Amino acid sequence: MNKLISPSLLSADFGNLERDIEQLNQSDADWFHIDVMDGVFVPNISFGFPVMKYINKLSHKPLDVHLMIVDPDKFVSQVKENGGEIMNVHYEACTHLHRTIQNIHNAGMKAGVTLNPHTPVEVLTDIICDVDLVLLMSVNPGFGGQKFIEHTYDKLRRLKELVVNSGSKALIQIDGGVNAENAPKLYELGADCLVAGNAVFKGGDIQGNIKAIKYH
Ligand code: DX5
Ligand code: ZN
């Protein structure tokens, strides 16, 4: 059983980004979660490739890139060039998901697919063996600091079944409203990696907060 954590840089202090990244480098964080928003797929805009490039330069850990954008296919090579190791696209944003997954693999990255809260896990039945990671959104994407949607537990159980029964090697990731209270149950139900923004950066004790989520 994996118990990975991928802190979301969206909640970092951008005025002190280098300091926060150094804290993450010294912490038990496994990946860096990079939330890219375009103001079209989600009602918010975050940051783009220049910031990602800078994060990659300072980070000692793999970048897990969550693209909340339309037409992610257009940006496969830029994600790779700017340090992406896992490129994660939304199911709802890809008309030809199989092709997108192939393009990501051909660029030398791991491919992830993300589901919004309303999208059933069963839509992945015919693609589950082609992806390296499935991300279940446990809030509606676009903002940090939202409340965890409880129905995610049920989706997680069904996704775990789908992964096990299909023989897929896909890791399961959960993103949104994750904290030290719900983390143990999520890991227990089969989540391999938890994304956390607010719960990691709140109060400034980044390393302690990560331990509390990971080892609670
Ligand atoms: C939301 C993003 C998340 C977000 C998580 O659209 O995908 O990664 O930063 O933040 P918290 O953990 O604060 O809900
Ligand atoms: Zn995210």
Side-chain angles (χ1 to χ4, degrees):
M1 183 170 106
N2 292 298
K3 276 178 89 170
L4 306 174
I5 181 157
S6 188
S8 165
L9 275 289
L10 191 63
S11 296
D13 177 354
F14 280 77
N16 290 287
L17 196 50
E18 193 164 349
R19 181 202 64 194
D20 281 5
I21 291 173
E22 199 34 49
Q23 288 287 315
L24 291 176
N25 281 335
Q26 288 172 24
S27 76
D28 291 346
D30 298 281
W31 304 339
F32 279 23
H33 187 80
I34 308 296
D35 287 301
V36 178
M37 305 178 190
D38 65 356
V40 180
F41 182 70
V42 288
N44 197 10
I45 295 176
S46 55
F47 51 78
F49 295 117
V51 175
M52 186 177 148
K53 184 176 179 176
Y54 176 72
I55 294 171
N56 183 46
K57 202 175 114 204
L58 298 173
S59 157
H60 300 164
K61 319 213 179 187
L63 300 193
D64 142 39
V65 186
H66 177 196
L67 295 169
M68 287 162 273
I69 63 173
V70 297
D71 273 339
D73 262 302
K74 282 189 199 157
F75 299 102
V76 171
S77 57
Q78 270 168 287
V79 172
K80 174 69 180 170
E81 280 158 23
N82 289 288
E85 288 198 25
I86 303 166
M87 175 165 164
N88 203 335
V89 298
H90 267 260
Y91 169 83
E92 302 83 4
C94 296
T95 310
H96 299 286
L97 182 60
H98 189 272
R99 178 183 290 145
T100 306
I101 299 296
Q102 281 180 319
N103 290 343
I104 296 169
H105 282 153
N106 290 341
M109 292 181 286
K110 295 221 157 60
V113 60
T114 302
L115 301 183
N116 275 335
H118 74 277
T119 305
V121 301
E122 289 72 20
V123 299
L124 297 178
T125 304
D126 291 293
I127 195 85
I128 194 72
C129 291
D130 298 296
V131 298
D132 303 292
L133 180 140
V134 176
L135 167 53
L136 294 184
M137 285 308 302
S138 39
V139 298
N140 286 294
F143 304 91
Q146 301 182 81
K147 194 175 172 303
F148 182 86
I149 297 171
E150 298 283 317
H151 181 63
T152 310
Y153 294 124
D154 183 51
K155 287 181 74 174
L156 174 53
R157 284 189 193 93
R158 280 155 45 218
L159 177 58
K160 186 70 188 175
E161 253 179 58
L162 180 62
V163 168
V164 170
N165 293 343
S166 65
S168 163
K169 301 263 185 305
L171 296 180
I172 299 178
Q173 190 177 47
I174 308 290
D175 182 8
V178 170
N179 54 40
E181 285 68 50
N182 55 28
K185 184 167 176 183
L186 292 167
Y187 283 132
E188 195 186 305
L189 290 177
D192 298 288
C193 180
L194 301 181
V195 176
N198 215 46
V200 163
F201 290 93
K202 68 165 189 221
D205 181 12
I206 294 175
Q207 296 186 45
N209 290 341
I210 287 174
K211 282 196 195 310
I213 298 166
K214 209 170 165 177
Y215 308 116
H216 198 73

